[in-house]
Amino acid sequence: MQIILIGASGTIGSAIDDALSAKHDLVRVGRTSGDVHADLSDPSSIEALYEEVGPFDAVVSAAGNAAFNPLLDLSDDDFDLSLSSKLMGQVNLVRYGLPHIRTDGNPSFTLVSGVLSQEPMPGSAAISMVNSGIEGFMRAAALEADGVRVNVVSPPWVSETLEAMGEDPSDGLPAATVAKAFVDSVEGEMTGEVVDAREYA
Amino acid sequence: MQIILIGASGTIGSAIDDALSAKHDLVRVGRTSGDVHADLSDPSSIEALYEEVGPFDAVVSAAGNAAFNPLLDLSDDDFDLSLSSKLMGQVNLVRYGLPHIRTDGNPSFTLVSGVLSQEPMPGSAAISMVNSGIEGFMRAAALEADGVRVNVVSPPWVSETLEAMGEDPSDGLPAATVAKAFVDSVEGEMTGEVVDAREYA
């Protein structure tokens, strides 16, 4: 399959790259790195990405920013960033990508949320909002995507991220384990699912 | 209690008004009707609302627009409206209201989502997205609201709305029943809950 991997240079994206590249052709996308550049928060950049890549079989997104801050310190700009990048950026990957995806084979979109959707912590109001929002969008979009599967992978804290923050990596899940959830969404048959990456530990 | 009721003239709002007004003082808010006017999609209008009303004990929202359209017919404007009105409008009721709410007594914010959050239908991609988003925000905000309760009521189709659409009202829940869920959130002790109004049937 020809798979567009958004956020290919990130911690989770690199692990997905390792897990998919032996069997599939990847188009690696990043804001400033990869085969093609795109900025999720800019709708015209997503349209340009699909024009440049041409037909493809799947999109995998491990990208999108959202702001972490105490509730009353979250600014209007923090909410705007979270909505335009992690939420609408990924929504637009589906909306703008559906007319371009090849529908023979096993086409799919796999987006990313996070367990803060259902298990918040102080500081996560904007992130929990966009993670839940992407899951709600996915459940509905999967009904209408007409033979194209749509899923969301929900990762917990990733070990490599915790280690980089000086925290105990054993409190998280290794990126290679999180990547298994993405592979399952791409190669499997599920649709309309929030895939909890912890089930792949 | 002094309760600010957003969307007081709507189908659900009117039923909440009937259910709360015997025991509480209501400030009825609508875009063009009520005691005070406010436009949820305009942050400065929400700030002006709180300045005008002064201290209060609770906010109840039965307001917010979101677009219903087939997935590929949903426009950028449809998503923008849904995000700015039903999602960020209600988020801003909490963010801008927290510094003004009286914290003695039993203070609370009660927002509204809808069962399309978890039970989508074709056409509901934007609505399901914002309904899920408001629930995710609420779960996180309730952790940080410091003695102020935050809940979301999730109504199904309302009988009066179905009747107005020429559909069978018995497929929905009467607005007076939906209102009981809002009353329970305001007068009870729960916080961080998505209250399924169907449990009050």
Side-chain angles (χ1 to χ4, degrees):
Chain A
M1 287 197 279
Q2 172 127 348
I3 301 172
I4 302 176
L5 174 57
I6 316 286
S9 68
T11 305
I12 294 175
S14 302
I16 298 170
D17 187 338
D18 290 343
L20 287 175
S21 55
K23 288 176 62 179
H24 305 285
D25 289 330
L26 298 189
V27 178
R28 297 169 182 85
V29 179
R31 251 183 309 180
T32 56
S33 63
D35 307 315
V36 184
H37 297 176
D39 176 358
L40 267 195
S41 67
D42 176 1
S44 66
S45 171
I46 297 174
E47 290 190 291
L49 164 70
Y50 285 124
E51 291 299 333
E52 184 169 346
V53 171
F56 58 89
D57 300 289
V59 170
V60 175
S61 170
N65 293 318
F68 190 89
N69 250 330
L71 178 59
L72 292 183
D73 292 345
L74 281 165
S75 65
D76 294 341
D77 284 348
D78 285 335
F79 278 97
D80 286 346
L81 163 80
S82 308
L83 292 172
S84 65
S85 176
K86 190 164 187 183
L87 182 55
M88 286 308 299
Q90 294 197 93
V91 165
N92 289 338
L93 285 174
V94 176
R95 293 171 64 214
Y96 299 164
L98 271 172
H100 297 277
I101 197 166
R102 272 196 288 258
T103 52
D104 50 349
N106 186 14
S108 67
F109 290 85
T110 305
L111 310 179
V112 64
S113 64
V115 298
L116 292 170
S117 169
Q118 299 295 325
E119 300 165 28
M121 60 188 288
S124 77
I127 297 179
S128 294
M129 175 185 82
V130 299
N131 284 355
S132 290
I134 200 70
E135 293 172 5
F137 169 79
M138 175 279 298
R139 279 188 288 268
L143 296 179
E144 292 183 76
D146 214 13
V148 177
R149 298 180 302 102
V150 190
N151 297 295
V152 166
V153 171
S154 177
W157 285 97
V158 172
S159 302
E160 289 85 342
T161 306
L162 289 173
E163 192 159 26
M165 293 164 68
E167 307 281 343
D168 183 354
S170 69
D171 289 342
L173 203 63
T177 307
V178 173
K180 291 180 188 173
F182 285 89
V183 172
D184 206 16
S185 171
V186 171
E187 297 184 345
E189 298 298 328
M190 72 180 93
T191 190
E193 296 286 329
V194 176
V195 185
D196 189 330
R198 293 174 296 196
E199 292 172 11
Y200 293 79
Chain B
M1 287 197 277
Q2 172 127 346
I3 300 172
I4 302 177
L5 175 57
I6 316 287
S9 68
T11 305
I12 293 176
S14 303
I16 297 170
D17 187 338
D18 290 343
L20 288 175
S21 54
K23 288 175 63 180
H24 306 284
D25 288 331
L26 298 189
V27 179
R28 296 169 182 85
V29 180
R31 251 182 311 180
T32 56
S33 63
D35 306 316
V36 184
H37 297 176
D39 176 358
L40 268 195
S41 67
D42 176 1
S44 65
S45 172
I46 297 174
E47 290 191 290
L49 165 69
Y50 285 124
E51 292 298 331
E52 183 168 346
V53 172
F56 58 89
D57 300 289
V59 170
V60 175
S61 169
N65 293 318
F68 189 89
N69 250 330
L71 179 59
L72 291 183
D73 292 345
L74 282 165
S75 65
D76 293 341
D77 284 350
D78 284 335
F79 278 97
D80 286 346
L81 163 81
S82 308
L83 292 173
S84 66
S85 176
K86 191 165 187 181
L87 182 55
M88 285 308 300
Q90 295 197 95
V91 165
N92 289 337
L93 285 174
V94 175
R95 292 172 64 214
Y96 300 164
L98 271 173
H100 296 277
I101 197 167
R102 272 196 287 258
T103 52
D104 50 348
N106 185 14
S108 67
F109 291 85
T110 305
L111 310 179
V112 65
S113 63
V115 298
L116 292 170
S117 168
Q118 298 295 326
E119 300 165 27
M121 60 189 289
S124 78
I127 297 180
S128 294
M129 176 185 80
V130 300
N131 284 354
S132 290
I134 200 71
E135 293 173 2
F137 169 79
M138 174 280 297
R139 279 189 288 269
L143 297 180
E144 293 183 75
D146 213 13
V148 177
R149 297 180 302 103
V150 190
N151 296 296
V152 166
V153 172
S154 177
W157 285 97
V158 173
S159 301
E160 289 87 341
T161 305
L162 288 172
E163 192 159 28
M165 292 163 68
E167 307 281 343
D168 182 354
S170 70
D171 289 342
L173 203 63
T177 306
V178 173
K180 291 180 188 174
F182 285 89
V183 172
D184 206 16
S185 171
V186 171
E187 297 184 344
E189 299 297 329
M190 72 181 93
T191 190
E193 297 285 330
V194 176
V195 185
D196 189 330
R198 293 173 296 196
E199 292 172 11
Y200 294 80

